Amino acid sequence: MSFVEKIVINDWKQFSDIEIEFHPQLTILTGANGSGKTTILNLLGKLVYGNIQDEIAVPSIDKETGGFKYIPRSLKLIDNVRSNIIGYLKYQDGEFSKIKIPDYEVGAVYHIELDNIKRITGAYIPSHRVVFYYQHIPNISTRKIKKSEARLTSSSSIISKLYHDHSSKSTNYFIKETLLNWAISGAGNDFIISDKELKEYFLEFQDILRITLPKSLGFSKIVIKNYEIIFETSTGDFMLDAVSGGISAIIDLVWLIFTSIENKSENVLVIIDEVENHLHATMQREILPSLIEAFPNVQFIVSTHSPLIIGSVKDSNVYALRYNSDKRIFNEKLDIVNKARSANQILDEVLGVSFTMPVWVEKSLEEITNKYANSEITSTIFHQMRNDLKELGLESLVPLTMEKIITKINDQNK
């Protein structure tokens, strides 16, 4: 299965020069509203769902006739650019798809074409998360619902909502319907022979929720009472339909990803726009590490406005979409690990907020603090601690680590 490796876009819409290399596991795009994050994700979404959303051209005055025409590029670039090829996608196997726009004049709405397109198994999850609400399941299907069908039903609902069709059912309706089918057919009874595949689906989804739901929730298992889906947790039992906005956002993400993976060894592409939506600050810091733990064979490409998301995973590519002197967008790769100061300055510019310490950094500092807290602070110990930090790319945090070690030693001596 081909993973996408790179996207290049030149002189189209707000973009000047875009060249983004995608990490095999996680790529994060950040930037101000209107910088083009969703536009890039929509292009990538074609690899998963085909045509997702049409582009809209801006009416501009034609120099020759004085009348208005809809064109897919900026007029000031037309005289210099004759080709309708605005860039390309490169796949991991070395093949390419050219990104094409229509010729000079179009209607208000136009399609982007990717030639030689490679269909990749996966999910495109837009920024507008659905809110769960109670929906009764009037009938339980006696037909076996496989993952592929559950994925198709959920993704069709998403695409319908992208086109402003709000008559379709919410995601939690399809989750309930499918889980009931899996539980009844998978468990079996004295009269129904157990379907081992459906039972495995049910148990796998339950295991993934244990990884991805907040640890503070204490999720234990899924049970069915009176044909309702109940989550048993250490903080109390609740129905699927009644979860909070943040919990429903995680369940929604996990369900769409889980049902996209028919084979555990299969490579999958998952695109998530504004992954932080509806999530509390603590959940924002944990969502990407937990998704990667739960789905190790997935290539994630996400956008975010949250500094808590950026840098939450050490081994990743992070790009900021920025304005150049001509007020057009280019991208810059951020080195969160080795050049945190420069990355922080860029994030201050594009987001208006500072970069915060990622979870993996906090854990590393805690491990090093505990390692040296029982030692006498000598020159040798100091250099060992400094080398430990240097190997992690965290040498700039030597003063903070020393402060933590001294504080811990003082607390132990009280």
Side-chain angles (χ1 to χ4, degrees):
M1 180 63 66
S2 298
F3 270 26
V4 61
E5 188 173 279
K6 179 191 286 190
I7 188 170
V8 172
I9 304 173
N10 299 115
D11 295 330
W12 176 60
K13 299 185 76 169
Q14 69 268 57
F15 301 120
S16 172
D17 298 291
I18 297 294
E19 184 172 342
I20 295 171
E21 294 185 358
F22 298 108
H23 189 278
Q25 192 161 59
L26 174 63
T27 301
I28 300 173
L29 307 182
T30 189
N33 285 331
S35 59
K37 301 183 297 298
T38 300
T39 300
I40 293 172
L41 296 188
N42 280 343
L43 281 171
L44 296 170
K46 293 177 183 293
L47 303 176
V48 177
Y49 290 156
N51 191 57
I52 295 178
Q53 234 173 349
D54 293 327
E55 296 295 333
I56 300 177
V58 177
S60 302
I61 296 178
D62 185 87
K63 294 178 180 179
E64 297 179 0
T65 66
F68 283 100
K69 287 186 176 180
Y70 290 95
I71 57 172
R73 281 189 195 266
S74 167
L75 263 177
K76 62 183 178 183
L77 299 173
I78 286 294
D79 294 335
N80 298 323
V81 182
R82 296 297 180 187
S83 173
N84 66 337
I85 300 172
I86 60 169
Y88 63 85
L89 285 173
K90 181 182 178 183
Y91 304 97
Q92 196 176 46
D93 61 7
E95 294 194 23
F96 293 82
S97 285
K98 295 177 183 177
I99 306 173
K100 297 180 180 180
I101 57 175
D103 292 333
Y104 185 84
E105 185 177 0
V106 297
V109 177
Y110 64 96
H111 294 293
I112 296 289
E113 178 187 346
L114 298 179
D115 68 355
N116 193 33
I117 188 170
K118 288 181 177 289
R119 292 282 184 237
I120 299 177
T121 301
Y124 174 82
I125 304 172
S127 60
H128 300 292
R129 307 283 184 271
V130 297
V131 177
F132 287 10
Y133 57 91
Y134 182 77
Q135 296 174 94
H136 174 63
I137 307 297
N139 302 295
I140 301 172
S141 176
T142 57
R143 181 173 46 83
K144 180 174 181 175
I145 300 178
K146 299 198 69 171
K147 270 189 180 181
S148 55
E149 182 180 342
R151 169 186 177 272
L152 181 61
T153 304
S154 298
S155 59
S156 297
S157 175
I158 288 174
I159 293 172
S160 295
K161 286 179 171 58
L162 278 175
Y163 286 102
H164 310 292
D165 176 11
H166 299 290
S167 61
S168 59
K169 296 180 176 68
S170 182
T171 305
N172 62 301
Y173 179 91
F174 300 114
I175 295 175
K176 286 173 63 175
E177 181 182 48
T178 306
L179 286 178
L180 287 170
N181 177 269
W182 289 354
I184 294 170
S185 300
N189 55 39
D190 291 342
F191 310 103
I192 300 176
I193 297 175
S194 170
D195 186 314
K196 293 182 179 179
E197 184 178 36
L198 297 187
K199 183 177 181 179
E200 185 176 339
Y201 287 169
F202 187 96
L203 295 176
E204 280 181 7
F205 182 63
Q206 185 173 255
D207 288 342
I208 287 172
L209 289 178
R210 292 192 183 106
I211 296 172
T212 53
L213 288 176
K215 299 299 181 285
S216 58
L217 185 66
F219 170 73
S220 173
K221 62 181 180 179
I222 301 171
V223 297
I224 297 172
K225 299 179 182 179
N226 197 32
Y227 297 98
E228 299 289 357
I229 303 297
I230 309 296
F231 282 25
E232 286 192 354
T233 76
S234 61
T235 55
D237 300 349
F238 53 85
M239 288 175 56
L240 170 67
D241 310 82
V243 298
S244 68
I247 299 299
S248 69
I250 293 176
I251 295 172
D252 189 28
L253 289 175
V254 167
W255 180 258
L256 291 166
I257 299 168
F258 175 70
T259 54
S260 296
I261 303 171
E262 192 69 30
N263 186 326
K264 291 181 182 179
S265 62
E266 183 179 30
N267 294 329
V268 173
L269 172 64
V270 172
I271 303 158
I272 309 174
D273 197 6
E274 297 183 15
V275 65
E276 74 275 14
N277 279 1
H278 299 299
L279 300 182
H280 179 270
T282 302
M283 295 159 71
Q284 289 182 29
R285 300 178 74 191
E286 296 173 352
I287 184 62
L288 289 179
S290 66
L291 287 178
I292 288 172
E293 180 185 353
F295 303 106
N297 290 332
V298 168
Q299 180 184 29
F300 289 97
I301 301 173
V302 309
S303 72
T304 185
H305 293 118
S306 172
L308 298 171
I309 294 287
I310 298 164
S312 60
V313 177
K314 182 180 180 182
D315 190 15
S316 61
N317 288 353
V318 181
Y319 289 90
L321 302 183
R322 308 175 65 190
Y323 287 96
N324 62 19
S325 57
D326 294 325
K327 301 299 181 184
R328 294 178 65 75
I329 295 294
F330 71 103
N331 66 268
E332 184 163 357
K333 188 176 182 180
L334 305 185
D335 188 344
I336 299 296
V337 176
N338 299 308
K339 297 180 181 178
R341 186 183 301 275
S342 299
N344 193 40
Q345 291 172 346
I346 294 170
L347 290 172
D348 272 334
E349 174 193 323
V350 299
L351 297 180
V353 290
S354 298
F355 174 63
T356 58
M357 187 178 292
V359 174
W360 69 265
V361 174
E362 286 188 350
K363 289 181 179 178
S364 297
L365 290 185
E366 184 179 356
E367 290 172 0
I368 292 173
T369 299
N370 292 334
K371 179 179 178 180
Y372 294 104
N374 295 319
S375 304
E376 182 181 353
I377 303 301
T378 64
S379 175
T380 301
I381 291 297
F382 175 81
H383 286 296
Q384 288 176 357
M385 180 268 294
R386 184 173 184 173
N387 286 335
D388 286 350
L389 290 168
K390 188 175 182 179
E391 288 178 4
L392 295 169
L394 302 175
E395 190 175 8
S396 63
L397 297 179
V398 167
L400 176 61
T401 309
M402 278 302 303
E403 181 182 345
K404 286 179 173 290
I405 292 172
I406 293 170
T407 300
K408 193 172 184 68
I409 291 173
N410 290 338
D411 289 343
Q412 290 172 349
N413 293 333
K414 286 181 180 179

